Amino acid sequence: MQRLEVREPRPYPILIGEGVLQEARRPEGPLALLYDTKVAPLAESLAEAWGVEHRLGLEGGEGAKTLGTYGRVLSWLAGKGLPRNATLLVMGGGTLTDLGGFVAATYLRGLSYLSFPTTTLAVVDASVGGKTGINLPEGKNLVGAFHFPIGVYAELRALKTLPPFTFKEGLVEAFKHGLIAGDEALMQVEDLTPESPRLEAYLARAVAVKVAVTEEDPLEKGKRRLLNLGHTLGHALEAHSRHALPHGAAVAYGLLFAALLGRALGGEDLVGRVEGLLHWLSPPPPPTPPWEDLLPYLLRDKKKVSESLLWVVPLAPGHLVVRPLPEGLLKEAYALWRARL
């Protein structure tokens, strides 16, 4: 079992391994459980052990990150009369984790919550760092809040129930963490399976990168922007496809675009490394609209500062820059990106 501790801006533990639910401590006060129906047995086991009376199961996926579903969960909590000293337990993949955290951030102006991530994507990304939110038709994650859990408990037995692609797509975020940190071990994903002996330590290593970055910059004023590597184009592709393109696939395609930008700026040629990742992932094909059709989504990106859209560009593993780029360069890279698909 791997144990990490987040210190800033508020301390909380992260446990990763098999049997971690037995290590979790029941919070004081009333509890409500929001869970993905795909992990209902695990959710029911926790609910029975902790005596959780209020339980709501939802189907995961980007369809859960909507204003309608958000309102439904708020009304459910209000209908149960949950008080401010209640704790929300959130169990599921990345979308349920994002939704549940945002519900906790906003119901009664803020409830405590515990995160129980059950996919690789949720373990290495959504459950850590305090970003919560939902989507709008105009773009991904345009509504949200920074709200930090009081604990994260990643039960790795849940990963053994995932479809192969779902398991793999979360590791794209871990690969991204390897690029950010210059950690070659994190960029070695090809042999990983739910049964891999090194999986537990690998996931903890990936989480540790995100913890280090978010501790230094919890509210994304500077260094935390590095974690958006691959996400600018990726989120635009997701939104353009109406979320038919899975998040991990979108980020992988976004990483290819970022690698092309890095090469154009004179950096190390990382295109082959990212194409190897895509070959291993074998994702569905992305939308490839004209650049002008993606622009509305790009210009609504939440990373926009004043009138400038900031791009995270890898010049080498461990050496990234964050800056606006000329539209001519972006269009040239996008043409190359479309040609390589």
Side-chain angles (χ1 to χ4, degrees):
M1 187 175 299
Q2 306 288 317
R3 298 172 183 264
L4 298 91
E5 186 77 24
V6 177
R7 295 162 296 182
E8 298 291 343
R10 185 178 70 190
Y12 61 91
I14 301 172
L15 274 66
I16 301 171
E18 296 196 8
V20 300
L21 296 188
Q22 285 70 44
E23 299 290 320
R25 294 184 179 181
R26 186 194 189 282
E28 297 292 330
L31 302 176
L33 172 62
L34 178 68
Y35 66 93
D36 190 321
T37 52
K38 293 185 184 69
V39 292
L42 193 63
E44 292 299 324
S45 174
L46 177 67
E48 292 297 327
W50 283 9
V52 182
E53 181 180 356
H54 308 300
R55 313 170 192 178
L56 178 62
L58 297 175
E59 184 177 349
E62 294 294 334
K65 288 178 58 173
T66 64
L67 288 169
T69 306
Y70 168 65
R72 176 187 168 193
V73 178
L74 290 176
S75 293
W76 169 67
L77 291 175
K80 299 300 182 183
L82 266 292
R84 203 171 210 171
N85 69 327
T87 300
L88 183 63
L89 314 177
V90 182
M91 180 179 287
T95 54
L96 258 291
T97 301
D98 285 350
L99 170 69
F102 187 49
V103 167
T106 50
Y107 180 70
L108 298 181
R109 298 192 176 92
L111 296 182
S112 296
Y113 77 105
L114 282 171
S115 182
F116 298 89
T118 59
T119 66
T120 47
L121 182 60
V123 172
V124 302
D125 189 43
S127 66
V128 181
K131 274 190 178 180
T132 72
I134 57 176
N135 304 327
L136 295 177
E138 293 79 9
K140 187 176 173 71
N141 294 336
L142 294 183
V143 180
F146 288 98
H147 190 56
F148 299 87
I150 58 175
V152 176
Y153 299 92
E155 174 52 71
L156 295 193
R157 286 177 298 183
L159 303 188
K160 295 181 179 179
T161 69
L162 297 175
F165 178 81
T166 304
F167 174 81
K168 286 183 174 183
E169 71 163 326
L171 300 183
V172 172
E173 293 281 4
F175 179 97
K176 177 202 75 177
H177 292 172
L179 269 177
I180 292 169
D183 188 333
E184 186 65 29
L186 288 179
M187 297 171 68
Q188 303 293 330
V189 297
E190 291 80 3
D191 67 326
L192 287 171
T193 69
E195 290 77 27
S196 294
R198 76 181 185 101
L199 179 63
E200 181 183 291
Y202 175 89
L203 294 174
R205 190 168 182 149
V207 170
V209 172
K210 184 164 186 180
V211 168
V213 173
T214 57
E215 281 186 331
E216 183 176 332
D217 179 23
L219 303 182
E220 200 171 306
K221 303 296 185 183
K223 186 175 181 179
R224 185 167 179 163
R225 291 170 178 159
L226 296 178
L227 294 172
N228 293 316
L229 175 63
H231 284 61
T232 304
L233 184 72
H235 281 173
L237 295 173
E238 282 186 82
H240 185 276
S241 74
R242 297 294 186 263
H243 304 292
L245 186 67
H247 178 70
V251 172
Y253 288 123
L255 289 175
L256 176 59
F257 183 68
L260 289 166
L261 290 174
R263 188 173 70 180
L265 293 178
E268 181 179 329
D269 191 348
L270 299 171
V271 173
R273 295 294 303 269
V274 178
E275 287 183 327
L277 175 73
L278 281 164
H279 178 74
W280 167 79
L281 181 63
S282 190
T288 57
W291 177 256
E292 289 70 23
D293 290 358
L294 278 182
L295 269 181
Y297 300 103
L298 292 169
L299 295 177
R300 286 191 291 265
D301 190 280
K302 62 182 174 16
K303 296 177 287 298
K304 189 176 179 184
V305 177
S306 298
E307 292 304 310
S308 298
L309 180 58
L310 301 178
W311 293 86
V312 185
V313 182
L315 300 179
H319 180 201
L320 286 73
V321 294
V322 182
R323 59 173 151 174
L325 293 174
E327 187 170 9
L329 175 63
L330 295 171
K331 285 183 174 181
E332 288 176 13
Y334 186 67
L336 289 172
W337 178 85
R338 293 175 77 185
R340 298 188 80 95
L341 297 178

